Each structure stands twice: as C-alpha cells, then as structure tokens.
Amino acid sequence: MKRSNNPAGIILQPTRRDAFGLLGGAALLGATSRPAFAQRVDDVLNEALVLRDPEVPATGNPEGDINIVEWFDYNCPYCRKIAPEIQQVVQDDGKVRLVLKDWPILGEVSKFGARMALAAKYQGKYMAAHEAMIGVSSKLTEPRIRELLAGAGIDMDRLNRDATANAKAIDTVLSRNHDQAIAFGFKGTPSFIVGKFRVPGILTMAEFEMVIADARKAKKAN
C-alpha cells in the first residue's frame, strides 16, 4: 500500500535509517513537531493506551525494555509475510514486548476476523486465533476463518457467545486502534511503533534489529 514517506512531525535521519521517524523528545525540531504520545482530550495518543491497553493482546517479554506495536490486518499479505520474521526478532532479542493492534481496514471479512480473534481472548486463545489467521497464504473468507479457528482448538460455541456478549467492548478496541493509527499518520498495514520510532511499512529482520537498537539508544538518551 502507498504510504507517505514523511508525515508531519517526523525528522528523517540522514542515513539509511531514513525509513524511521523518531517521535517525541528533544530530537524533534520545527514548529509542526509534537510528542509521539500527545495528551489529548480523547486520549487517542495516550502513551498508556498505545503501549499497554489492557484490552489489547501482547506477546514476547512482558517486562521487555522496548515495545513494538504493530497495526495489522489478517487479509494483508504483507502482514502475513512479515509475521514470522517479527516473531523471530522478538524471540532472538528476548527483551522485546510485541503489542498486537488489530486494524481491519481491508473489508468486512477483515473486521470479522479481528472480532473473532479478540473474542477468542475471553477463552485465553487470542494467540491461537491470531497465529491461525496470520499464518495462511490465501485470502480469508468467513467460512475459512471459522475452519481455521476450529482447527486451532478454539471452542467455537463459546467463541460465538463471547463475540455477541462482548461486541461493544470489542468494537471499542477496534475503534481505538483505528483512531491511534490515523493519529500517527499511518496509511496502511502493517505499521509499527518501535520504542519511539514510527515505522510506516515493512522492514527486514536486520532493519528491525537496527531500529530496536536505535530505540534503546534513544531511550537511554532521554
């Protein structure tokens, strides 16, 4: 998907790191700059809700020193392609916490998949649902999603009940994820926050490792 190379408020690095926008703190220059987690009335970019929303699943090291926040869509081929690489980076590093923000922007099937994944967390099966859907190579349909989730050991009767009973809460999470992505200036999936770097697109494993290292340096400098 087409993405802006320099959304407002980003300072581009004069090296091959110019894919990354550093957010917040003294590193930002110019009148249009603003902190990554601006305090707003609606709390869209409240740091606690971006990084540690209690309703949003996370994996990796819960005590990690760096957060990677990913906005993704289950029907996004780029999200599927990069998913195992992200998991490998998180596993190899050992000190990264990965926050998974469902952002279903590719149609009704994407919304259905996101709702089912978030409903699965009520039976402790979000990651099973997530891995089942993000791990396929073909376009998803509602019947295929149900087949994948059942195959992942999810209680489908309970899933349907939980999806109905918690529909408002699930839609609130999806709306909050969407509002955050738009506020950060993201144009498509996958998009990331790594520490305080905005990464609006796909990275290789080496580039993820590089931006994680940069995020640690930026954290120490503050």
Side-chain angles (χ1 to χ4, degrees):
M1 292 186 180
K2 185 177 180 181
R3 299 179 180 86
S4 171
N5 291 325
N6 189 17
I10 297 180
I11 296 301
L12 296 181
Q13 310 300 308
T15 67
R16 71 190 184 99
R17 287 174 167 83
D18 62 4
F20 314 140
L22 179 61
L23 301 167
L28 282 176
L29 305 174
T32 62
S33 299
R34 59 177 173 76
F37 303 110
Q39 293 299 320
R40 291 168 50 172
V41 173
D42 57 4
D43 286 334
V44 169
L45 295 188
N46 176 280
E47 182 170 356
L49 282 179
V50 171
L51 300 183
R52 297 190 178 275
D53 187 332
E55 301 304 319
V56 171
T59 187
N61 186 340
E63 304 300 326
D65 63 337
I66 291 295
N67 289 284
I68 296 178
V69 186
E70 179 186 8
W71 283 261
F72 66 92
D73 185 305
Y74 288 114
N75 252 332
C76 166
Y78 305 107
C79 300
R80 295 174 186 156
K81 179 180 178 180
I82 203 172
E85 297 179 2
I86 298 171
Q87 288 293 346
Q88 190 64 52
V89 168
V90 170
Q91 179 179 323
D92 290 349
D93 184 281
K95 296 185 291 183
V96 171
R97 178 173 170 270
L98 176 62
V99 182
L100 297 167
K101 301 258 186 183
D102 290 85
W103 188 25
I105 56 176
L106 298 177
E108 291 304 312
V109 172
S110 294
K111 293 177 183 176
F112 177 77
R115 289 187 178 110
M116 291 298 99
L118 289 172
K121 77 175 185 176
Y122 292 98
Q123 57 179 285
K125 295 289 183 69
Y126 175 86
M127 286 307 301
H130 175 78
E131 290 170 0
M133 288 188 283
I134 208 71
V136 298
S137 58
S138 59
K139 189 172 182 179
L140 293 172
T141 62
E142 290 192 17
R144 179 60 172 147
I145 287 171
R146 292 189 181 280
E147 179 184 10
L148 289 167
L149 297 183
I154 293 170
D155 182 332
M156 297 303 291
D157 289 336
R158 178 174 176 183
L159 183 70
N160 291 331
R161 293 196 302 271
D162 286 338
T164 299
N166 299 286
K168 184 176 180 180
I170 290 169
D171 284 346
T172 297
V173 171
L174 294 177
S175 178
R176 189 155 62 235
N177 291 351
H178 172 80
D179 289 347
Q180 290 170 354
I182 297 303
F184 277 124
F186 295 143
K187 304 299 183 183
T189 55
S191 292
F192 303 88
I193 296 293
V194 182
K196 288 195 174 182
F197 285 89
R198 175 170 26 194
V199 184
I202 299 174
L203 301 181
T204 65
M205 289 179 67
E207 288 170 335
F208 262 116
E209 290 168 356
M210 182 175 67
V211 76
I212 289 168
D214 282 355
R216 288 194 170 109
K217 290 177 184 177
K219 184 176 180 180
K220 288 180 179 179
N222 291 336

